Short mmCIF file of all heavy atoms in Angstrom, two decimals:
data_model
loop_
_atom_site.label_atom_id
_atom_site.label_comp_id
_atom_site.label_asym_id
_atom_site.label_seq_id
_atom_site.Cartn_x
_atom_site.Cartn_y
_atom_site.Cartn_z
N GLU A 1 0.83 -1.22 0.00
CA GLU A 1 0.00 0.00 0.00
C GLU A 1 0.87 1.28 0.00
O GLU A 1 0.61 2.19 -0.79
CB GLU A 1 -0.94 0.02 1.21
CG GLU A 1 -2.03 -1.05 1.17
CD GLU A 1 -3.22 -0.65 0.31
OE1 GLU A 1 -3.32 0.50 -0.11
OE2 GLU A 1 -4.04 -1.55 0.05
N PRO A 2 1.92 1.36 0.85
CA PRO A 2 2.75 2.58 0.84
C PRO A 2 3.45 2.81 -0.49
O PRO A 2 3.57 3.95 -0.95
CB PRO A 2 3.77 2.35 1.98
CG PRO A 2 3.15 1.30 2.85
CD PRO A 2 2.32 0.45 1.94
N PHE A 3 3.92 1.74 -1.13
CA PHE A 3 4.60 1.87 -2.43
C PHE A 3 3.62 2.37 -3.48
O PHE A 3 3.93 3.25 -4.28
CB PHE A 3 5.21 0.52 -2.86
CG PHE A 3 6.10 0.62 -4.07
CD1 PHE A 3 7.46 0.88 -3.94
CD2 PHE A 3 5.59 0.44 -5.35
CE1 PHE A 3 8.29 0.96 -5.06
CE2 PHE A 3 6.41 0.52 -6.48
CZ PHE A 3 7.76 0.78 -6.33
N LEU A 4 2.40 1.83 -3.45
CA LEU A 4 1.37 2.24 -4.41
C LEU A 4 1.02 3.72 -4.21
O LEU A 4 0.93 4.48 -5.17
CB LEU A 4 0.11 1.37 -4.24
CG LEU A 4 -1.00 1.59 -5.27
CD1 LEU A 4 -0.55 1.21 -6.68
CD2 LEU A 4 -2.25 0.80 -4.89
N LYS A 5 0.87 4.11 -2.96
CA LYS A 5 0.53 5.51 -2.63
C LYS A 5 1.62 6.45 -3.16
O LYS A 5 1.33 7.47 -3.78
CB LYS A 5 0.37 5.65 -1.11
CG LYS A 5 -0.03 7.04 -0.62
CD LYS A 5 -0.28 7.01 0.89
CE LYS A 5 -0.70 8.38 1.39
NZ LYS A 5 0.43 9.31 1.49
N GLU A 6 2.86 6.06 -2.93
CA GLU A 6 3.98 6.89 -3.39
C GLU A 6 4.03 6.96 -4.92
O GLU A 6 4.35 7.99 -5.49
CB GLU A 6 5.31 6.35 -2.84
CG GLU A 6 6.47 7.26 -3.13
CD GLU A 6 7.79 6.69 -2.65
OE1 GLU A 6 8.35 5.80 -3.32
OE2 GLU A 6 8.27 7.14 -1.59
N LEU A 7 3.68 5.86 -5.57
CA LEU A 7 3.65 5.82 -7.03
C LEU A 7 2.62 6.82 -7.56
O LEU A 7 2.92 7.60 -8.47
CB LEU A 7 3.29 4.40 -7.47
CG LEU A 7 3.91 3.82 -8.74
CD1 LEU A 7 5.40 4.08 -8.82
CD2 LEU A 7 3.62 2.34 -8.83
N PHE A 8 1.43 6.81 -6.98
CA PHE A 8 0.39 7.77 -7.39
C PHE A 8 0.87 9.21 -7.17
O PHE A 8 0.66 10.08 -8.01
CB PHE A 8 -0.92 7.54 -6.63
CG PHE A 8 -1.74 6.39 -7.16
CD1 PHE A 8 -2.20 5.40 -6.31
CD2 PHE A 8 -2.08 6.31 -8.51
CE1 PHE A 8 -2.99 4.34 -6.79
CE2 PHE A 8 -2.86 5.26 -9.00
CZ PHE A 8 -3.30 4.28 -8.14
N GLU A 9 1.55 9.44 -6.04
CA GLU A 9 2.05 10.79 -5.74
C GLU A 9 3.12 11.21 -6.74
O GLU A 9 3.13 12.36 -7.21
CB GLU A 9 2.62 10.84 -4.30
CG GLU A 9 1.52 10.80 -3.24
CD GLU A 9 2.05 10.52 -1.84
OE1 GLU A 9 3.29 10.31 -1.68
OE2 GLU A 9 1.23 10.49 -0.90
N SER A 10 4.01 10.29 -7.10
CA SER A 10 5.08 10.59 -8.06
C SER A 10 4.51 10.91 -9.44
O SER A 10 4.97 11.82 -10.12
CB SER A 10 6.05 9.42 -8.18
OG SER A 10 6.74 9.21 -6.96
N ILE A 11 3.48 10.15 -9.86
CA ILE A 11 2.86 10.38 -11.17
C ILE A 11 2.15 11.74 -11.18
O ILE A 11 2.23 12.49 -12.14
CB ILE A 11 1.88 9.24 -11.55
CG1 ILE A 11 2.62 7.90 -11.67
CG2 ILE A 11 1.16 9.54 -12.85
CD1 ILE A 11 1.72 6.67 -11.65
N ALA A 12 1.47 12.05 -10.07
CA ALA A 12 0.75 13.34 -9.97
C ALA A 12 1.74 14.50 -10.03
O ALA A 12 1.48 15.53 -10.67
CB ALA A 12 -0.05 13.39 -8.67
N ALA A 13 2.90 14.32 -9.39
CA ALA A 13 3.92 15.39 -9.37
C ALA A 13 4.58 15.56 -10.73
O ALA A 13 4.93 16.67 -11.13
CB ALA A 13 4.97 15.07 -8.30
N ASN A 14 4.77 14.42 -11.45
CA ASN A 14 5.40 14.47 -12.77
C ASN A 14 4.89 13.33 -13.64
O ASN A 14 5.39 12.21 -13.56
CB ASN A 14 6.93 14.38 -12.63
CG ASN A 14 7.61 14.32 -14.00
OD1 ASN A 14 7.00 14.60 -15.03
ND2 ASN A 14 8.86 13.91 -14.00
N PRO A 15 3.88 13.61 -14.49
CA PRO A 15 3.31 12.56 -15.34
C PRO A 15 4.33 11.90 -16.29
O PRO A 15 4.06 10.83 -16.83
CB PRO A 15 2.23 13.29 -16.14
CG PRO A 15 1.88 14.49 -15.32
CD PRO A 15 3.16 14.89 -14.64
N LYS A 16 5.49 12.51 -16.46
CA LYS A 16 6.51 11.93 -17.35
C LYS A 16 7.48 11.03 -16.60
O LYS A 16 8.40 10.45 -17.19
CB LYS A 16 7.30 13.04 -18.07
CG LYS A 16 6.42 13.91 -18.98
CD LYS A 16 6.01 13.16 -20.24
CE LYS A 16 4.96 13.89 -21.04
NZ LYS A 16 3.67 13.21 -21.08
N MET A 17 7.29 10.90 -15.27
CA MET A 17 8.17 10.00 -14.51
C MET A 17 7.99 8.57 -14.99
O MET A 17 6.93 8.20 -15.51
CB MET A 17 7.92 10.12 -13.00
CG MET A 17 6.55 9.66 -12.50
SD MET A 17 6.31 7.87 -12.35
CE MET A 17 7.25 7.47 -10.94
N GLU A 18 9.04 7.76 -14.82
CA GLU A 18 8.99 6.38 -15.33
C GLU A 18 9.09 5.36 -14.21
O GLU A 18 9.62 5.63 -13.14
CB GLU A 18 10.13 6.14 -16.33
CG GLU A 18 9.94 6.90 -17.64
CD GLU A 18 11.02 6.58 -18.65
OE1 GLU A 18 12.18 6.35 -18.26
OE2 GLU A 18 10.68 6.54 -19.84
N VAL A 19 8.57 4.20 -14.51
CA VAL A 19 8.66 3.05 -13.62
C VAL A 19 9.36 1.94 -14.39
O VAL A 19 9.10 1.76 -15.59
CB VAL A 19 7.25 2.60 -13.17
CG1 VAL A 19 7.28 1.22 -12.54
CG2 VAL A 19 6.66 3.61 -12.20
N GLU A 20 10.26 1.25 -13.72
CA GLU A 20 10.94 0.10 -14.34
C GLU A 20 10.40 -1.18 -13.72
O GLU A 20 10.41 -1.33 -12.50
CB GLU A 20 12.45 0.16 -14.12
CG GLU A 20 13.17 -1.02 -14.78
CD GLU A 20 14.63 -1.11 -14.39
OE1 GLU A 20 15.45 -0.46 -15.05
OE2 GLU A 20 14.94 -1.82 -13.40
N VAL A 21 9.93 -2.07 -14.57
CA VAL A 21 9.48 -3.39 -14.13
C VAL A 21 10.45 -4.41 -14.70
O VAL A 21 10.56 -4.56 -15.91
CB VAL A 21 8.03 -3.67 -14.59
CG1 VAL A 21 7.61 -5.07 -14.18
CG2 VAL A 21 7.07 -2.63 -14.02
N ASN A 22 11.17 -5.07 -13.81
CA ASN A 22 12.20 -6.03 -14.19
C ASN A 22 11.69 -7.43 -13.85
O ASN A 22 11.69 -7.84 -12.69
CB ASN A 22 13.49 -5.70 -13.42
CG ASN A 22 14.65 -6.58 -13.82
OD1 ASN A 22 14.49 -7.77 -14.09
ND2 ASN A 22 15.85 -6.02 -13.83
N LEU A 23 11.22 -8.14 -14.88
CA LEU A 23 10.66 -9.47 -14.65
C LEU A 23 11.72 -10.48 -14.22
O LEU A 23 11.50 -11.22 -13.27
CB LEU A 23 9.88 -9.96 -15.87
CG LEU A 23 9.22 -11.34 -15.73
CD1 LEU A 23 8.28 -11.42 -14.54
CD2 LEU A 23 8.50 -11.73 -17.01
N PRO A 24 12.91 -10.53 -14.86
CA PRO A 24 13.91 -11.51 -14.41
C PRO A 24 14.24 -11.36 -12.93
O PRO A 24 14.37 -12.35 -12.21
CB PRO A 24 15.13 -11.21 -15.29
CG PRO A 24 14.56 -10.59 -16.53
CD PRO A 24 13.36 -9.81 -16.08
N GLU A 25 14.37 -10.11 -12.46
CA GLU A 25 14.72 -9.86 -11.05
C GLU A 25 13.48 -9.79 -10.15
O GLU A 25 13.60 -9.75 -8.93
CB GLU A 25 15.49 -8.54 -10.92
CG GLU A 25 16.81 -8.49 -11.68
CD GLU A 25 17.86 -9.40 -11.09
OE1 GLU A 25 17.93 -9.51 -9.84
OE2 GLU A 25 18.60 -10.02 -11.87
N GLN A 26 12.30 -9.71 -10.77
CA GLN A 26 11.04 -9.55 -10.05
C GLN A 26 11.04 -8.30 -9.17
O GLN A 26 10.67 -8.34 -8.00
CB GLN A 26 10.69 -10.80 -9.23
CG GLN A 26 10.37 -12.00 -10.10
CD GLN A 26 10.14 -13.28 -9.31
OE1 GLN A 26 10.65 -14.33 -9.69
NE2 GLN A 26 9.40 -13.19 -8.23
N THR A 27 11.47 -7.18 -9.78
CA THR A 27 11.47 -5.91 -9.04
C THR A 27 10.71 -4.85 -9.82
O THR A 27 10.67 -4.87 -11.05
CB THR A 27 12.90 -5.39 -8.78
OG1 THR A 27 13.56 -5.23 -10.04
CG2 THR A 27 13.68 -6.31 -7.87
N ILE A 28 10.13 -3.91 -9.07
CA ILE A 28 9.51 -2.73 -9.65
C ILE A 28 10.16 -1.52 -8.99
O ILE A 28 10.34 -1.50 -7.77
CB ILE A 28 7.98 -2.73 -9.48
CG1 ILE A 28 7.38 -1.42 -10.03
CG2 ILE A 28 7.55 -2.97 -8.02
CD1 ILE A 28 5.87 -1.42 -10.15
N THR A 29 10.57 -0.55 -9.80
CA THR A 29 11.28 0.62 -9.28
C THR A 29 10.58 1.91 -9.69
O THR A 29 10.30 2.12 -10.88
CB THR A 29 12.74 0.65 -9.80
OG1 THR A 29 13.38 -0.60 -9.46
CG2 THR A 29 13.52 1.81 -9.19
N ASN A 30 10.31 2.75 -8.72
CA ASN A 30 9.79 4.09 -8.96
C ASN A 30 11.02 4.96 -9.25
O ASN A 30 11.80 5.27 -8.36
CB ASN A 30 9.06 4.59 -7.70
CG ASN A 30 8.57 6.01 -7.83
OD1 ASN A 30 9.01 6.78 -8.67
ND2 ASN A 30 7.63 6.38 -6.96
N LYS A 31 11.22 5.31 -10.52
CA LYS A 31 12.45 6.01 -10.91
C LYS A 31 12.48 7.46 -10.40
O LYS A 31 13.54 8.08 -10.38
CB LYS A 31 12.65 5.94 -12.42
CG LYS A 31 12.84 4.47 -12.85
CD LYS A 31 13.36 4.32 -14.24
CE LYS A 31 14.86 4.43 -14.25
NZ LYS A 31 15.45 4.05 -15.52
N ALA A 32 11.33 7.98 -9.96
CA ALA A 32 11.29 9.33 -9.40
C ALA A 32 11.90 9.37 -8.00
O ALA A 32 12.53 10.35 -7.60
CB ALA A 32 9.86 9.86 -9.36
N THR A 33 11.71 8.27 -7.24
CA THR A 33 12.22 8.23 -5.86
C THR A 33 13.37 7.25 -5.69
O THR A 33 14.08 7.29 -4.68
CB THR A 33 11.10 7.80 -4.89
OG1 THR A 33 10.69 6.46 -5.23
CG2 THR A 33 9.90 8.74 -4.95
N GLY A 34 13.54 6.35 -6.67
CA GLY A 34 14.58 5.33 -6.56
C GLY A 34 14.17 4.13 -5.72
O GLY A 34 14.94 3.19 -5.54
N LYS A 35 12.96 4.15 -5.19
CA LYS A 35 12.52 3.04 -4.33
C LYS A 35 12.08 1.85 -5.17
O LYS A 35 11.45 2.01 -6.21
CB LYS A 35 11.37 3.48 -3.43
CG LYS A 35 11.85 4.40 -2.31
CD LYS A 35 10.82 4.51 -1.21
CE LYS A 35 11.35 5.48 -0.16
NZ LYS A 35 10.28 6.12 0.60
N SER A 36 12.43 0.66 -4.68
CA SER A 36 12.09 -0.59 -5.37
C SER A 36 11.36 -1.54 -4.43
O SER A 36 11.55 -1.47 -3.21
CB SER A 36 13.35 -1.32 -5.84
OG SER A 36 13.92 -0.67 -6.93
N GLU A 37 10.57 -2.41 -5.02
CA GLU A 37 9.97 -3.52 -4.27
C GLU A 37 10.10 -4.79 -5.09
O GLU A 37 10.15 -4.74 -6.32
CB GLU A 37 8.48 -3.25 -3.98
CG GLU A 37 8.27 -2.47 -2.72
CD GLU A 37 6.83 -2.53 -2.19
OE1 GLU A 37 5.95 -3.19 -2.79
OE2 GLU A 37 6.61 -1.91 -1.15
N HIS A 38 10.14 -5.90 -4.38
CA HIS A 38 10.17 -7.22 -5.01
C HIS A 38 8.72 -7.67 -5.17
O HIS A 38 7.89 -7.39 -4.31
CB HIS A 38 10.93 -8.19 -4.10
CG HIS A 38 11.11 -9.55 -4.70
ND1 HIS A 38 10.22 -10.57 -4.50
CD2 HIS A 38 12.07 -10.04 -5.52
CE1 HIS A 38 10.62 -11.64 -5.17
NE2 HIS A 38 11.73 -11.35 -5.80
N PHE A 39 8.39 -8.33 -6.29
CA PHE A 39 7.03 -8.86 -6.45
C PHE A 39 7.09 -10.36 -6.74
O PHE A 39 8.09 -10.87 -7.23
CB PHE A 39 6.25 -8.11 -7.55
CG PHE A 39 6.84 -8.20 -8.93
CD1 PHE A 39 6.53 -9.26 -9.78
CD2 PHE A 39 7.70 -7.21 -9.40
CE1 PHE A 39 7.07 -9.34 -11.06
CE2 PHE A 39 8.24 -7.28 -10.68
CZ PHE A 39 7.92 -8.35 -11.51
N GLU A 40 6.00 -11.03 -6.40
CA GLU A 40 5.92 -12.48 -6.59
C GLU A 40 5.27 -12.80 -7.94
O GLU A 40 4.42 -12.04 -8.42
CB GLU A 40 5.06 -13.11 -5.47
CG GLU A 40 5.66 -13.00 -4.08
CD GLU A 40 7.03 -13.64 -3.96
OE1 GLU A 40 7.23 -14.73 -4.53
OE2 GLU A 40 7.91 -13.03 -3.31
N ILE A 41 5.68 -13.90 -8.53
CA ILE A 41 5.03 -14.41 -9.74
C ILE A 41 5.25 -15.92 -9.79
O ILE A 41 6.32 -16.42 -9.42
CB ILE A 41 5.56 -13.72 -11.03
CG1 ILE A 41 4.81 -14.25 -12.26
CG2 ILE A 41 7.08 -13.86 -11.18
CD1 ILE A 41 5.09 -13.51 -13.56
N ASN A 42 4.25 -16.64 -10.24
CA ASN A 42 4.35 -18.07 -10.43
C ASN A 42 5.51 -18.37 -11.39
O ASN A 42 5.62 -17.74 -12.44
CB ASN A 42 3.00 -18.54 -11.00
CG ASN A 42 3.01 -19.97 -11.48
OD1 ASN A 42 3.59 -20.28 -12.51
ND2 ASN A 42 2.37 -20.83 -10.73
N ALA A 43 6.37 -19.32 -11.02
CA ALA A 43 7.59 -19.60 -11.80
C ALA A 43 7.27 -20.03 -13.24
O ALA A 43 7.96 -19.63 -14.18
CB ALA A 43 8.41 -20.69 -11.10
N TYR A 44 6.22 -20.82 -13.42
CA TYR A 44 5.83 -21.26 -14.77
C TYR A 44 5.38 -20.07 -15.61
O TYR A 44 5.78 -19.92 -16.77
CB TYR A 44 4.72 -22.32 -14.67
CG TYR A 44 4.01 -22.59 -15.98
CD1 TYR A 44 4.69 -23.21 -17.03
CD2 TYR A 44 2.69 -22.20 -16.17
CE1 TYR A 44 4.05 -23.45 -18.25
CE2 TYR A 44 2.05 -22.44 -17.39
CZ TYR A 44 2.73 -23.06 -18.41
OH TYR A 44 2.11 -23.28 -19.61
N LYS A 45 4.55 -19.19 -15.01
CA LYS A 45 4.07 -18.01 -15.75
C LYS A 45 5.22 -17.06 -16.09
O LYS A 45 5.25 -16.45 -17.16
CB LYS A 45 2.98 -17.27 -14.96
CG LYS A 45 1.66 -18.00 -14.96
CD LYS A 45 1.11 -18.10 -16.38
CE LYS A 45 -0.16 -18.88 -16.50
NZ LYS A 45 -0.52 -19.18 -17.88
#
């Protein structure tokens, strides 16, 4: 929830900000703040 909230705030502050989604590493990074989180995904998928 906190990461999502910050993402919405970053987009509102700068609609041109980018997010990096790295499937091999299973990470999502808010490039405006530099914060990352790990996400889960089924290994087969």
